[in-house]
Amino acid sequence: MYTPNPSSVLWYEDQMFSNLQAFIESEKPDKIFFLVDENTHDHCLPALLADLGDLPATEVLEVPAGEEAKSPEVLLQLWGALSELGADRRSLMINLGGGVVTDLGAFLAGTYMRGIAFINIPTSLLAMVDASTGGKCGINLGGLKNQVGLFLEPAAVAVHPMFLDTLPKRERISGFAEMLKHGLIADHQYWEELSDLAIEEHRPTLEQIQFSIGIKKSVVERDFREAGLRKILNFGHTIGHALESLSLQTAEPLLHGEAVALGMFAETYLSEQHAGLESDKASQVYKVLRTHFRCPVPQFDQEQVLRLIQADKKNDSNRLLFSLLNTIGHASPNVELTPAKVREALNFLRVHFNG
Amino acid sequence: MYTPNPSSVLWYEDQMFSNLQAFIESEKPDKIFFLVDENTHDHCLPALLADLGDLPATEVLEVPAGEEAKSPEVLLQLWGALSELGADRRSLMINLGGGVVTDLGAFLAGTYMRGIAFINIPTSLLAMVDASTGGKCGINLGGLKNQVGLFLEPAAVAVHPMFLDTLPKRERISGFAEMLKHGLIADHQYWEELSDLAIEEHRPTLEQIQFSIGIKKSVVERDFREAGLRKILNFGHTIGHALESLSLQTAEPLLHGEAVALGMFAETYLSEQHAGLESDKASQVYKVLRTHFRCPVPQFDQEQVLRLIQADKKNDSNRLLFSLLNTIGHASPNVELTPAKVREALNFLRVHFNG
């Protein structure tokens, strides 16, 4: 019988193999269910299975790659598949993939038979430094991201940089946005270090990944259910999520990290105007973001963006609340702004990001 | 921002009105969503609203009466409805109905935006003495009861016997089965008291309802996630759930309590054979169950019942585990039996229950 961890265990690099084997030997699951998408099925699952020893009976559940898999329809199919394949309370689920797979798989495992054990193995940089920690999981609903979900920690998270080599460059750069965010909200020196990183050329080091996870973990442990402090992790996400939602309905959707980079650009402007961020520091942020993120700002209707921000889970009804930078390395949650000020920031983004 | 209670608060009788008002004044929900079914919409909601003072904006979500509402399809509609009606993290959900409404509503509230506050107001005897306590919630999946769900306590449970007067006699007797079970597994004297109750004529007293809730609560508090002890609450349910599942596919489905009464009859036989229950005590149980429950034993295929028992969440794969009575007032979980012995008990039920 599985009882969820209040805080999940992290396994790094080749510890993954030995710890996973030890976990299986001690918990004795009767069956292991791997949740993968098309990509991780081909590029990550073989490497994982090759270095694991004997396993109990296994089943592989595959979902389409991309955000669309985080839908109620796919969730229903997966609940049904687990049931038909005889998953029970002694089964173990291993979610192998990016944030879509780990978010979806954690919610699936957390609700099937009122919760079975699961382990997340993030394979994208974004999932390693962000989705892997903090226990948020869930699905999207009618264009609204993570509208249904839980706060629920996996039994363990295994972070192995080898999976990053299977990742397209654009995905790697997308994940880098969250790392930059960690520096901006919590550690000036880390921000400086990352600013110089040639992320276009190669992946970050394991130490850098660990440092980002450490920042996120320490914020989350102080405020698991996001009563206040945890909202600082939302820097760049209020506007970013809205742009991402809109772009998902177009032919050229933004990646999550790209949307967050655009959001950080606009919210750095808000930080400069309303949270005391000095203007030379703001300029430095603009420059770094423009250097690494070459995506065009998508066309958007300002009023639609405002409506999406108001529908954001983190906002009380009818208030526009932002997490803003007071300086590089420190952020404050719950700064309330008027619609006019948000429009100003959206204009600034449109004019200056690609400019 | 709402943080779930580890153990929920109980409000009895007219405390419901004053405590609910005080809760609303202190938590200041921006909107209240009532989940009802057709029956509680007409017969319970007016009485509740009449005695509550001013409320913030309210919305009423109505589902069809009956077990069919605990389906993934209805859940999806309700998630969508909450989203469209602007429910956010400061909204409050009040589930007003029998076990179907409270089970479904709790899962809905517990997963919407990763969990919003909710209060259960059970209106059936069954929901008051059973579903109201213990934090189990969820939906059915392809004929399997509660296959998807959570362990999650409401902010409060309000138990008001006035709602029992809106209940058909058959429903009242069904709820009585769980009360008898509480006596059988935990309190000999309570069992004796209930055995003499003319449940056909009138409802149990508030004190009796409280006593049943107290028994359930004390078991649950010692084992919230059902690692062991809590399984004794499952007495009568292993066979009962299987019969209930089969009967749901027929034109004359059993009520939950009726199925549990049949299950207790068969499992009392197993208790006599394999758990040390003395035969004069077993005879007393058979007699009381036959007196109160006049439902005919449905036709069933023994092998189908066995397969359903094996698929039960509480069973490890391929083992048949039962909670059985050692005497009246004491039960033990995890008694393993062979298929042959279960078949014997099913035969005993078929021959002797209506005999």
Side-chain angles (χ1 to χ4, degrees):
Chain A
M1 181 61 218
Y2 166 69
T3 304
N5 276 353
S7 167
S8 65
V9 176
L10 280 158
W11 301 333
Y12 286 109
E13 275 195 306
D14 286 347
Q15 288 180 339
M16 175 174 77
F17 299 106
S18 52
N19 286 344
L20 195 49
Q21 270 161 340
F23 184 89
I24 291 166
E25 272 159 38
S26 84
E27 297 293 316
K28 298 187 183 42
D30 54 3
K31 225 173 204 178
I32 299 181
F33 291 81
F34 290 94
L35 184 70
V36 296
D37 68 16
E38 303 146 65
N39 297 328
T40 60
H41 181 271
D42 292 350
H43 303 301
C44 302
L45 189 58
L48 179 64
L49 292 177
D51 274 323
L52 280 175
D54 286 341
L55 295 177
T58 60
E59 301 278 356
V60 177
L61 305 176
E62 185 182 313
V63 295
E67 192 73 21
E68 297 69 29
K70 276 176 68 174
S71 71
E73 293 71 25
V74 172
L75 175 70
L76 249 66
Q77 286 170 8
L78 291 170
W79 276 337
L82 284 180
S83 191
E84 275 158 37
L85 295 168
D88 65 27
R89 286 185 173 176
R90 297 198 46 216
S91 300
L92 169 67
M93 171 148 250
I94 296 180
N95 303 312
L96 179 70
V100 167
V101 167
T102 57
D103 279 10
L104 174 64
F107 187 70
L108 176 67
T111 52
Y112 183 73
M113 288 192 174
R114 303 199 188 93
I116 63 172
F118 67 100
I119 287 171
N120 282 350
I121 307 184
T123 57
S124 73
L125 183 56
L126 185 72
M128 286 180 192
V129 299
D130 189 24
S132 73
T133 313
K136 287 189 179 182
C137 63
I139 58 170
N140 306 328
L141 208 64
L144 293 172
K145 290 202 50 157
N146 303 317
Q147 192 75 347
V148 162
L150 292 173
F151 289 100
L152 184 65
E153 289 281 2
V157 179
V159 174
H160 201 307
M162 74 170 175
F163 294 122
L164 295 179
D165 300 330
T166 67
L167 217 59
K169 185 168 86 171
R170 187 178 166 202
E171 294 272 353
R172 185 170 71 231
I173 297 172
S174 167
F176 188 57
E178 295 286 354
M179 299 179 74
L180 290 172
K181 183 196 74 181
H182 292 140
L184 286 172
I185 62 170
D187 196 304
H188 184 267
Q189 200 182 328
Y190 182 54
W191 157 260
E192 297 278 354
E193 176 184 331
L194 293 180
S195 299
D196 297 333
L197 196 72
I199 192 70
E200 293 75 11
E201 311 303 323
H202 50 76
R203 61 174 171 83
T205 64
L206 178 64
E207 288 66 33
Q208 288 165 335
I209 293 171
Q210 287 175 317
F211 202 86
S212 262
I213 293 174
I215 289 175
K216 174 145 188 199
K217 213 172 157 68
S218 92
V219 173
V220 167
E221 277 169 5
R222 284 182 284 164
D223 177 24
F224 188 57
R225 291 191 164 266
E226 200 161 59
L229 176 71
R230 184 171 177 163
K231 290 187 189 172
I232 66 171
L233 292 168
N234 209 39
F235 174 66
H237 283 63
T238 305
I239 290 174
H241 263 166
L243 296 176
E244 186 182 5
S245 290
L246 290 178
S247 89
L248 284 178
Q249 297 158 22
T250 68
E252 291 189 352
L254 292 166
L255 295 182
H256 176 72
E258 293 169 345
V260 168
L262 296 173
M264 288 196 292
F265 196 90
E267 295 180 23
T268 296
Y269 175 82
L270 291 173
S271 300
E272 196 185 345
Q273 302 293 315
H274 309 290
L277 179 68
E278 289 173 25
S279 91
D280 63 322
K281 299 216 160 120
S283 299
Q284 197 198 333
V285 178
Y286 301 141
K287 181 163 164 266
V288 171
L289 290 174
R290 270 198 300 240
T291 306
H292 294 296
F293 296 88
R294 307 289 173 80
C295 47
V297 180
Q299 297 291 321
F300 57 83
D301 169 14
Q302 280 195 351
E303 301 314 305
Q304 236 181 328
V305 173
L306 274 167
R307 273 194 300 277
L308 281 168
I309 293 173
Q310 264 156 345
D312 194 295
K313 280 183 298 305
K314 286 166 198 86
N315 274 325
D316 298 349
S317 43
N318 307 318
R319 297 173 69 197
L320 293 164
L321 298 177
F322 285 81
S323 293
L324 297 180
L325 303 178
N326 314 110
T327 183
I328 293 182
H330 191 273
S332 296
N334 295 328
V335 181
E336 184 167 359
L337 298 176
T338 61
K341 288 170 178 170
V342 179
R343 283 189 201 103
E344 217 179 280
L346 292 171
N347 272 330
F348 180 83
L349 170 69
R350 178 145 43 195
V351 175
H352 294 279
F353 187 78
N354 300 127
Chain B
M1 181 59 218
Y2 167 69
T3 303
N5 276 351
S7 167
S8 65
V9 176
L10 280 157
W11 301 332
Y12 286 110
E13 274 194 306
D14 286 346
Q15 288 180 339
M16 175 174 78
F17 298 106
S18 52
N19 287 344
L20 195 47
Q21 269 162 339
F23 184 90
I24 291 166
E25 273 160 38
S26 82
E27 297 293 317
K28 297 187 183 44
D30 54 3
K31 225 172 203 180
I32 299 181
F33 291 81
F34 290 94
L35 184 70
V36 295
D37 68 17
E38 304 147 66
N39 297 327
T40 60
H41 182 272
D42 293 350
H43 303 302
C44 302
L45 189 58
L48 179 64
L49 293 177
D51 275 322
L52 280 175
D54 286 342
L55 295 178
T58 60
E59 299 278 357
V60 177
L61 305 175
E62 185 181 313
V63 296
E67 192 73 20
E68 296 69 30
K70 277 176 67 174
S71 71
E73 292 73 24
V74 172
L75 175 70
L76 250 67
Q77 287 171 8
L78 291 171
W79 276 337
L82 284 180
S83 192
E84 276 158 37
L85 295 168
D88 65 26
R89 285 184 174 178
R90 297 197 47 215
S91 300
L92 169 66
M93 171 149 252
I94 296 179
N95 303 312
L96 180 70
V100 167
V101 168
T102 57
D103 279 9
L104 173 65
F107 187 70
L108 176 68
T111 53
Y112 183 74
M113 288 192 174
R114 303 197 187 97
I116 63 173
F118 68 99
I119 287 171
N120 282 349
I121 308 185
T123 57
S124 72
L125 182 56
L126 186 72
M128 287 181 191
V129 298
D130 189 24
S132 73
T133 314
K136 288 189 179 180
C137 63
I139 57 169
N140 306 326
L141 209 63
L144 292 173
K145 289 203 49 155
N146 303 315
Q147 192 75 348
V148 161
L150 292 171
F151 289 99
L152 184 64
E153 288 281 3
V157 179
V159 174
H160 202 307
M162 73 171 175
F163 294 122
L164 295 180
D165 300 330
T166 67
L167 217 60
K169 185 168 87 173
R170 189 179 163 199
E171 293 273 354
R172 184 170 72 231
I173 297 174
S174 168
F176 188 57
E178 295 285 354
M179 299 179 75
L180 289 172
K181 182 197 75 181
H182 292 140
L184 286 173
I185 62 170
D187 196 304
H188 185 265
Q189 201 183 329
Y190 182 54
W191 157 261
E192 296 278 353
E193 178 185 329
L194 293 180
S195 298
D196 296 332
L197 197 72
I199 192 71
E200 293 76 10
E201 310 305 322
H202 51 76
R203 61 174 171 81
T205 64
L206 177 64
E207 288 66 34
Q208 287 165 337
I209 292 170
Q210 286 175 317
F211 202 86
S212 262
I213 293 173
I215 288 175
K216 175 147 187 199
K217 214 172 159 66
S218 92
V219 173
V220 167
E221 277 169 5
R222 285 181 284 164
D223 176 24
F224 188 57
R225 291 191 165 267
E226 200 161 59
L229 177 71
R230 183 170 177 163
K231 290 187 190 173
I232 66 170
L233 292 168
N234 209 37
F235 174 65
H237 284 64
T238 306
I239 289 174
H241 263 166
L243 296 176
E244 187 182 3
S245 291
L246 291 178
S247 88
L248 285 178
Q249 297 159 21
T250 68
E252 292 189 352
L254 291 167
L255 295 181
H256 177 71
E258 293 169 344
V260 168
L262 295 174
M264 289 197 289
F265 195 90
E267 294 180 23
T268 296
Y269 175 82
L270 291 172
S271 300
E272 197 185 343
Q273 302 292 316
H274 309 290
L277 179 66
E278 289 174 25
S279 91
D280 63 323
K281 299 218 160 117
S283 299
Q284 197 199 334
V285 178
Y286 301 141
K287 182 162 164 267
V288 170
L289 291 174
R290 271 198 301 238
T291 305
H292 294 296
F293 296 88
R294 307 289 173 79
C295 47
V297 180
Q299 296 291 323
F300 58 82
D301 168 13
Q302 280 194 350
E303 300 315 304
Q304 236 181 327
V305 173
L306 275 166
R307 274 193 300 277
L308 282 167
I309 292 173
Q310 265 156 346
D312 194 297
K313 281 185 297 305
K314 283 164 200 87
N315 274 326
D316 297 348
S317 44
N318 306 319
R319 297 172 70 198
L320 293 163
L321 298 176
F322 286 81
S323 294
L324 298 180
L325 303 177
N326 313 111
T327 183
I328 293 182
H330 191 273
S332 296
N334 295 329
V335 181
E336 183 168 2
L337 298 176
T338 61
K341 287 171 180 172
V342 179
R343 284 189 199 103
E344 215 178 283
L346 292 171
N347 272 330
F348 180 82
L349 170 68
R350 179 147 39 198
V351 175
H352 293 280
F353 187 78
N354 300 127

